[in-house]
Amino acid sequence: MKNQALVVGSSGIIGSAMTQLLANEGWSVAGLARRPNEEANVTAVSADLLDPEKLKAALKGMQPTHVFLTTWARQATEAENIRVNAEMVRNVLEAVRPSGSVKHVALSTGLKHYLGPFEAYGKGALPQTPFREEQGRLDVPNFYYAQEDELFAASERDGFTWSVHRPHTITGVAVGNAMNMATTLAVYASVCRVTGRPFRFPGSEVQWNSLTDMTDAAQLARHMLWASTTPDAANEAFNVVNGDVFRWKWMWARIAEWFEIEPAEFDGTLAPLEQQMAGDADVWQSMAKQFGLAEADIHKLISPWHTDADLGRPIEVVTDMSKSRKFGFLDYQPSDEAFFDVFDRLRAGKLIP
């Protein structure tokens, strides 16, 4: 039987990378989202994950062998995050259950598994870095744990294998995505270049000086595909990053160099992008007209609150990938080149000048 994939959240950063990889590998691919992209060799499926009856109707007749869960919905509180995001996972797994075809389900979560949810982000007693998969759950409510529990329960009930993937900050291209550092920084650098404003690092001194890592969406997609088709990797949770480490004091200069601007000297104080870019909607609209950009609404491109959360952390965040290496995943992606690839794609798509 030919592998048939259902990618949930196919219009997002992870999902779009996943559908592209699977289609290139010759899989039969269905991409599920409320507003799915139109992609070659991908069947677009539109449904709301919080409407179980319509979701079941949209997936009726499909027989996916592999399900890739790559989406979440941000809510006002962690209690609501838990309720909504657990329900989304539960609804998908209930909708595909009648087919009896599912062999493996891969779930993408992230490093908030170790750092805690937004309400308690980076606070309290945290595991030692580098983060390792055997470090257990924090004693705080976390929607990642709720998503995992839904996955584990369905696996036990229906007999499919599972994998959980924990990326660090993800680089990729997806307009309208709520967690999009690379595009946010590209827009910010473009505004600085056009207006002459200083290109200021917005984060903490700890992030500026400490080692860190990142995850490119294509690297994550390769990791999810590997785990879902490697028997020894079944029923395991894995960290997944690019494979290199860097300091932001180096990366900031690399990004500035790509945009042909000078990085401002870092004085150790926080300068959040949410404040720096608060009045840039009109600036971007003018730039869109001047340069013929495809998107004039800056709010569909940037997520400064999320970039500020990552770059403002008062702790070192670096991830161990030994477990994946031991199981046989050896792919590597230089993080600066991952940024540059996003910038090239944004420029080619007329999303930045």
Side-chain angles (χ1 to χ4, degrees), residues 88-101:
M88 286 164 54
V89 171
R90 183 167 60 252
N91 288 345
V92 169
L93 298 182
E94 283 286 345
V96 297
R97 189 182 185 195
S99 71
S101 59

Side-chain angles (χ1 to χ4, degrees), residues 58-82:
L59 297 178
K60 186 177 181 180
M62 290 192 177
Q63 295 185 307
T65 57
H66 296 70
V67 178
F68 299 90
L69 300 168
T70 71
T71 190
W72 73 290
R74 188 189 184 199
Q75 305 299 310
T77 66
E78 191 59 20
E80 279 297 288
N81 275 331
I82 290 169

Side-chain angles (χ1 to χ4, degrees), residues 81-159:
N81 275 331
I82 290 169
R83 183 187 67 80
V84 168
N85 288 283
E87 183 179 347
M88 286 164 54
V89 171
R90 183 167 60 252
N91 288 345
V92 169
L93 298 182
E94 283 286 345
V96 297
R97 189 182 185 195
S99 71
S101 59
V102 177
K103 298 177 181 179
H104 186 92
V105 178
L107 169 68
S108 176
T109 61
L111 294 195
K112 286 190 287 297
H113 182 93
Y114 308 107
L115 289 164
F118 288 118
E119 291 179 3
Y121 193 55
K123 300 175 183 177
L126 299 174
Q128 182 178 332
T129 56
F131 295 140
R132 302 177 190 275
E133 293 90 346
E134 62 265 24
Q135 293 165 328
R137 294 179 175 184
L138 301 176
D139 189 22
V140 293
N142 190 322
F143 81 86
Y144 283 169
Y145 306 160
Q147 288 181 310
E148 287 184 344
D149 289 343
E150 293 290 345
L151 175 65
F152 301 156
S155 170
E156 181 71 19
R157 179 192 68 205
D158 297 334

Side-chain angles (χ1 to χ4, degrees), residues 201 203-212 246-249 266 268-270 310-317:
F201 180 69
S204 69
E205 189 168 9
V206 171
Q207 290 304 304
W208 182 253
N209 290 311
S210 297
L211 290 173
T212 192
F246 63 89
R247 290 181 171 87
W248 271 104
K249 61 173 26 175
F266 181 60
T269 60
L270 287 170
D310 276 358
L311 298 184
R313 291 181 295 214
I315 55 173
E316 177 188 73
V317 179

